[in-house]
Amino acid sequence: MKLNLLTSNWLPFRHRDGRIDYRPPSALADPDVLDLALPRADFQGAAWQFLIALLQTAMTPKNTDAWLDRYQTPPGVAELDELLAPFASAFELDGDGPRFMQDLDPLDDVKDAPVAGLLIDSPGANGIKNNTDFFVKRGRVDTACPECAALALYTMQINAPAGGAGIRVGLRGGGPLTTLILPEDESQPLWARLWPNVMPADAVGQPGQAWRAPGVEDRDLFFWMGDTRISDKKGTEVLPEQVHPLHAFWSMPRRYRLLFDETPGCCDLCGREADRPVRHLRAKKQGANYDGPWRHPLTPYRRLNPKKLEELPLSSKGQPGGLGYRHWPGLVLEDEAISGALPARVVTHHLQKYRQVKAARDDGEAFDALYRHARLWVFGYDMDNMKPRGWYSVEMPLVGVPKAHQETLRGWVKRFVDLASEISWTLRNQLKRAWFKRPEDAKGDMSQIDAQFFEATQPAFFTALREIGGVLREDEEAPTLSPEIHRQWYGALKREALALFDAQAISGPLEGMKMQQLERITGARRYLLTYLNGSGKKVGKTMQAFAEAGGFKLKTPASEDHREESPA
Amino acid sequence: MSEAEQHAAQEVADETAASVERYLYALDKREAFELRLWWRRLVLNEQELKRHTRQRPYPRGVRAALRRCDTIESVLLTEAFRHLWSALESRAWQEAPADDPRKQREHRIETWAAIAAVASELRAETFDAPLGKRLGEKRPDTGDTPRMSDLRFQQLLDCHTSQELIRRFRRALKLADNAGVSVVRLADMVALWDREQRGQYNARATRRFAFVMSDAYFQARALKPGVGD
């Protein structure tokens, strides 16, 4: 049986009772379905986006009111099946007609390549030839079932890194981050977690795009329904205004053709038997070449130079050091003019929805909860050009506050994050001082220290963030943040900085150490303590300033010293 | 003794554990209190002692006998040590059963013998002053030399037997002019060292012997000349 991505039982869903069943996408409307359960983290992220894209295509709400109506009265499985049915012919994976996200041309003129090429974490042909697949190994995936091949194909098309001459990068740049909105309540069915990420018709498009109802034959929506837009010369770039507003969900920068094998085999990704597995594919250069001011609805962007509006915004990407709360403002708070942060449009829109439905607050109660208690799921590859360094997946609180208080929220969050950054900087320097004879000449990657520090202080930050959100939602004229929240944040940072220093600098036996070493270690620690205590005229300035801004008192150095030392 | 003096003495005699140094690494406050009282009776003359307690000083020879001992075994046989031990023990009898079980530290007679041997060298104390700090201070009449050199200090951190410890601590005290150190802090370090010799290291490295000692030492050394005194 040929795989159709709308009607076949091809996606593994996790149900309320823990069972995992393969069902068609419409199962997302089943209240018993809680989540997807894909065998790989990047597949999981892609499958979520696939379902969001389907909902967005099959049932885009007219406006925010219609969106809210749907939020309260979800469709049934049968209803969703009906809504999806018209699009079925665009979702065939195999066959002679158009194939999902594949080239209409059979690409008979290119050589067959292994299916592993669809996976981002496979070495390229050059890496295999030169034997440089040290960490990203070859030979792990030779056989893929059609289901996994379909997801691998979708994952590649939405995340594609630039692969050299003519091998096009994805619509939102290589290895983009994706941010999705999730309700805080984890027992919510999958539907309630997908729908917040669907935007109404009046908001989903970008400037220059006019809304029209999606149709299965629309070649500006599904590129694979027509001949490929080959990008072999200048002027063939694909710009936002040339395509359907929903095309961003179905972008197709790469030209592939999956080859189905008649020899059955076991899928190396999910372990299931497949009658007609995919072992090879054909890939060709010069697929759609995306250019222009693309803003994928689910991806955060930023302007490198906020003053130069003619420069294109860049999508945010995963970076070494991970994702933490220091990225939170850039992922949530729009600040185009100063820092250049452009959160994903779905996030910005979600935070504005509140204002739009406020008038109808009586029937907006369910949404109210979503607005107050939502999380942001951030995930994506950390890419070094074509090579993946890692996959990040983090959940953070999403704090919604009235528009009038956005600035205040940004200011407070900045104050908190800045303090953490400053302490982290000093901590790193003092560790260097403890470790090296000539710290200024010491080379090496110290970002691990930052990462550990931010990770350790993350829970405290998100606690503070929730309280900040609570204060600002009270919607008073002049909201103030209590000294206690400031003091707790300061206390958490100080505690973790000292703990990290001690663990890194003095965890081994000190008895056998050279005196110079001991001198460095004790000196660096005393400096750090003075800095953190805010004692010392110059050294303690940062803490003194924060304490003053927050309205709390730093303990006097002497007593603080012992407090820190005394057993818990 | 005038009436006023007597009154004052009485008040001081009621001085309790509250008057010892705030944070201790290996001793508890009652132990520290008993130790200080014993040391004062051992070292101070009658006039000085009166300011602290109504109790009488021990006879002169008691301290001299203790100072002549350089092994744990010989310390155990001295009269001075008998006084110290009985003070600690009687307290243990009276208080241990009812006390917080965490504070029921095992009474190590060898630990206290080492403490006695070292503490008997101290002639005058400065409240709350750690030994490490005193050793890191500038030697009087010299430019930039600490009372104890780096190398010697390193040896001090690296003692492996009680005998070695007694010898090195006594030498260190000599370099400190046998003064300017708190007897409680001094004993606390000996007890901490002893505990670590038995493999009981504090989970936090900043509360271990080598760190506490060298932190104080280098802090004193880092002070600019003139500020320290």
Side-chain angles (χ1 to χ4, degrees):
Chain A
M1 205 189 85
K2 298 215 161 70
L3 183 63
N4 181 291
L5 302 185
L6 293 191
T7 56
S8 303
N9 294 326
W10 76 285
L11 279 173
F13 287 97
R14 190 164 61 77
H15 295 69
R16 209 171 279 280
D17 56 9
R19 121 191 92 95
I20 291 170
D21 269 356
Y22 282 75
R23 300 174 65 178
S26 57
L28 69 89
D30 181 345
D32 271 342
V33 168
L34 286 186
D35 201 352
L36 287 155
L38 276 302
R40 283 166 55 113
D42 57 344
F43 283 12
Q44 180 83 356
W48 268 75
Q49 292 180 72
F50 178 77
L51 294 184
I52 290 167
L54 280 184
L55 290 177
Q56 189 75 67
T57 306
M59 49 190 298
T60 304
K62 195 166 83 238
N63 50 31
T64 305
D65 277 340
W67 179 90
L68 187 62
D69 289 344
R70 267 299 183 197
Y71 185 66
Q72 286 171 305
T73 47
V77 174
E79 188 186 352
L80 187 56
D81 267 329
E82 251 168 63
L83 287 164
L84 290 173
F87 297 96
S89 62
F91 288 84
E92 295 290 346
L93 194 69
D94 195 357
D96 299 330
R99 293 172 167 198
F100 174 71
M101 285 207 165
Q102 298 172 63
D103 221 83
L104 197 55
D105 187 312
L107 304 183
D108 287 328
D109 53 337
V110 287
K111 271 198 292 185
D112 295 359
V115 68
L118 275 187
L119 300 171
I120 288 179
D121 56 333
S122 290
N126 211 33
I128 291 176
K129 202 174 85 193
N130 296 336
N131 239 354
T132 54
D133 53 334
F134 302 131
F135 298 105
V136 176
K137 299 271 189 222
R138 75 183 84 173
R140 293 174 311 137
V141 178
D142 295 320
T143 308
C145 62
E147 291 82 2
C148 284
L151 258 177
L153 181 64
Y154 185 72
T155 309
M156 178 55 101
Q157 297 283 25
I158 62 173
N159 291 314
I167 302 181
R168 300 297 176 206
V169 67
L171 177 143
R172 35 186 172 166
L177 286 182
T178 303
T179 52
L180 299 183
I181 298 156
L182 305 178
E184 190 82 58
D185 179 2
E186 294 199 10
S187 63
Q188 296 266 344
L190 185 55
W191 159 266
R193 304 204 274 157
L194 291 169
W195 191 244
N197 298 291
V198 173
M199 289 166 80
D202 56 7
V204 72
Q206 295 189 224
Q209 293 177 331
W211 175 257
R212 61 174 186 272
V216 66
E217 290 297 334
D218 193 334
R219 291 167 189 204
D220 290 336
L221 174 60
F222 302 129
F223 280 10
W224 60 90
M225 299 305 282
D227 289 330
T228 297
R229 301 178 184 218
I230 295 168
S231 57
D232 49 355
K233 46 185 171 285
K234 276 215 164 133
T236 53
E237 291 86 359
V238 178
L239 303 172
E241 56 267 30
Q242 297 169 352
V243 300
H244 190 277
L246 297 186
H247 175 70
F249 291 98
W250 303 111
S251 62
M252 195 179 139
R254 299 288 187 88
R255 306 179 66 186
Y256 287 118
R257 218 34 209 195
L258 301 182
L259 302 175
F260 293 87
D261 218 342
E262 294 304 329
T263 321
C266 184
C267 173
D268 289 328
L269 289 165
C270 66
R272 296 191 306 158
E273 282 293 329
D275 290 342
R276 299 184 71 222
V278 180
R279 291 197 172 89
H280 292 91
L281 52 77
R282 294 188 184 130
K284 200 169 175 177
K285 295 197 270 192
Q286 295 168 335
N289 186 8
Y290 294 100
D291 201 359
W294 284 102
R295 290 275 315 275
H296 189 286
L298 304 180
T299 290
Y301 287 75
R302 76 206 142 89
R303 290 192 181 281
L304 278 189
N305 186 345
K307 292 203 185 73
K308 291 193 183 155
L309 285 178
E310 70 278 9
E311 283 181 7
L312 296 181
L314 300 172
S315 63
S316 302
K317 317 230 191 316
Q319 286 296 303
L323 287 167
Y325 63 86
R326 67 203 139 130
H327 303 104
W328 188 88
L331 297 175
V332 175
L333 302 173
E334 184 155 320
D335 189 21
E336 189 168 3
I338 298 166
S339 68
L342 293 165
R345 292 195 289 126
V346 70
V347 173
T348 312
H349 183 257
H350 175 79
L351 296 178
Q352 286 169 356
K353 264 185 241 168
Y354 187 64
R355 205 159 36 106
Q356 294 169 16
V357 295
K358 210 171 176 183
R361 202 158 182 177
D362 290 343
D363 31 74
E365 265 172 37
F367 175 65
D368 210 48
L370 181 60
Y371 179 75
R372 279 164 196 268
H373 304 288
R375 284 174 301 151
L376 193 68
W377 176 25
V378 193
F379 57 86
Y381 269 110
D382 169 10
M383 301 287 291
D384 172 12
N385 294 317
M386 273 184 77
K387 291 183 284 292
R389 282 182 293 222
W391 172 265
Y392 294 124
S393 173
V394 181
E395 288 188 17
M396 308 176 174
L398 182 59
V399 173
V401 304
K403 185 113 178 118
H405 292 328
Q406 283 279 330
E407 273 311 310
T408 319
L409 173 63
R410 199 188 345 271
W412 288 352
V413 166
K414 185 171 161 16
R415 185 190 293 168
F416 275 42
V417 174
D418 282 356
L419 183 71
S421 301
E422 297 222 25
I423 290 179
S424 178
W425 188 82
T426 306
L427 170 66
R428 199 162 11 107
N429 282 342
Q430 292 312 310
L431 267 177
K432 265 188 168 180
R433 229 185 102 195
W435 282 341
F436 304 112
K437 206 181 286 176
R438 290 162 44 152
E440 63 281 1
D441 293 344
K443 295 199 184 74
D445 183 8
M446 296 286 286
S447 67
Q448 185 52 29
I449 303 299
D450 291 338
Q452 282 187 43
F453 180 68
F454 283 111
E455 196 184 315
T457 50
Q458 180 138 312
F461 178 79
F462 288 146
T463 306
L465 192 58
R466 285 207 175 81
E467 297 203 31
I468 290 176
V471 170
L472 290 179
R473 271 194 301 269
E474 292 301 315
D475 213 0
E476 286 165 20
E477 274 293 300
T480 50
L481 196 56
S482 79
E484 189 51 26
I485 299 180
H486 282 91
R487 205 187 54 73
Q488 278 173 5
W489 177 234
Y490 159 76
L493 291 176
K494 180 181 157 185
R495 195 168 55 244
E496 295 302 338
L498 281 174
L500 199 53
F501 181 92
D502 291 352
Q504 293 287 334
I506 44 179
S507 55
L510 299 171
E511 287 78 3
M513 275 191 186
K514 288 210 182 83
M515 289 308 274
Q516 290 90 329
Q517 234 172 322
L518 273 177
E519 182 170 11
R520 290 201 307 263
I521 292 172
T522 55
R525 192 176 193 280
R526 276 197 311 276
Y527 181 95
L528 185 64
L529 199 60
T530 317
Y531 171 82
L532 291 171
N533 281 336
S535 46
K537 255 183 215 143
K538 250 163 70 188
V539 182
K541 240 183 195 157
T542 314
M543 297 306 130
Q544 288 159 12
F546 183 77
E548 199 182 313
F552 70 98
K553 273 210 170 64
L554 294 164
K555 300 255 166 29
T556 55
S559 69
E560 184 74 353
D561 214 24
H562 284 292
R563 247 178 68 88
E564 183 266 317
E565 296 286 356
S566 64
Chain B
M1 198 189 279
S2 75
E3 217 176 274
E5 260 179 324
Q6 219 168 22
H7 185 67
Q10 190 140 16
E11 235 178 32
V12 178
D14 293 334
E15 206 178 54
T16 59
S19 61
V20 302
E21 282 81 348
R22 283 189 48 146
Y23 180 75
L24 298 171
Y25 295 90
L27 298 183
D28 71 32
K29 296 205 164 174
R30 299 292 315 195
E31 286 169 338
F33 175 72
E34 296 294 349
L35 169 81
R36 177 164 273 144
L37 185 61
W38 168 82
W39 175 82
R40 280 173 176 162
R41 293 179 69 189
L42 187 71
V43 173
L44 300 186
N45 63 35
E46 211 165 338
Q47 285 305 318
E48 291 170 322
L49 191 61
K50 249 192 231 162
R51 272 187 265 136
H52 303 289
T53 177
R54 284 173 299 170
Q55 297 191 36
R56 305 272 305 149
Y58 299 126
R60 282 197 137 250
V62 170
R63 174 170 180 246
L66 178 55
R67 289 183 62 196
R68 278 196 295 274
C69 302
D70 49 12
T71 63
I72 296 292
E73 291 72 24
S74 51
V75 171
L76 293 178
L77 298 174
T78 60
E79 185 187 345
F81 182 74
R82 198 166 46 77
H83 287 306
L84 175 61
W85 188 247
S86 68
L88 293 165
E89 277 293 88
S90 68
R91 186 187 64 79
W93 277 111
Q94 284 162 14
E95 295 171 12
D99 227 343
D100 179 353
R102 203 179 42 155
K103 286 185 180 169
Q104 281 183 35
R105 58 190 68 244
E106 94 196 78
H107 254 257
R108 295 255 318 166
I109 200 162
E110 290 90 351
T111 312
W112 283 100
I115 291 174
V118 172
S120 63
E121 290 297 315
L122 191 65
R123 279 223 54 95
E125 70 159 344
T126 303
F127 186 79
D128 207 19
L131 175 66
K133 171 172 175 281
R134 179 74 170 169
L135 296 174
E137 284 169 4
K138 309 273 174 292
R139 203 184 298 167
D141 313 324
T142 60
D144 197 24
T145 335
R147 286 181 183 270
M148 191 182 227
S149 73
D150 277 7
L151 204 62
R152 277 252 178 116
F153 191 80
Q154 190 172 13
Q155 290 171 345
L156 191 65
L157 297 185
D158 211 15
C159 301
H160 294 289
T161 64
S162 311
Q163 217 167 322
E164 203 180 345
L165 179 93
I166 293 171
R167 197 179 69 243
R168 293 214 162 115
F169 262 68
R170 281 176 166 176
R171 191 176 292 161
L173 282 171
K174 192 174 260 169
L175 292 172
D177 290 335
N178 294 320
V181 177
S182 147
V183 70
V184 167
R185 291 247 170 266
L186 182 67
D188 194 29
M189 283 303 104
V190 175
L192 183 62
W193 172 86
D194 188 82
R195 189 191 280 183
E196 290 183 3
Q197 289 304 303
R198 284 175 277 135
Q200 296 173 21
Y201 285 89
N202 194 307
R204 295 189 53 173
T206 48
R207 291 183 200 151
R208 294 186 197 152
F209 175 74
F211 184 87
V212 176
M213 287 287 286
S214 51
D215 188 40
Y217 176 76
F218 286 116
Q219 181 166 25
R221 290 201 54 175
L223 283 179
K224 290 183 188 74
V227 184
D229 303 8

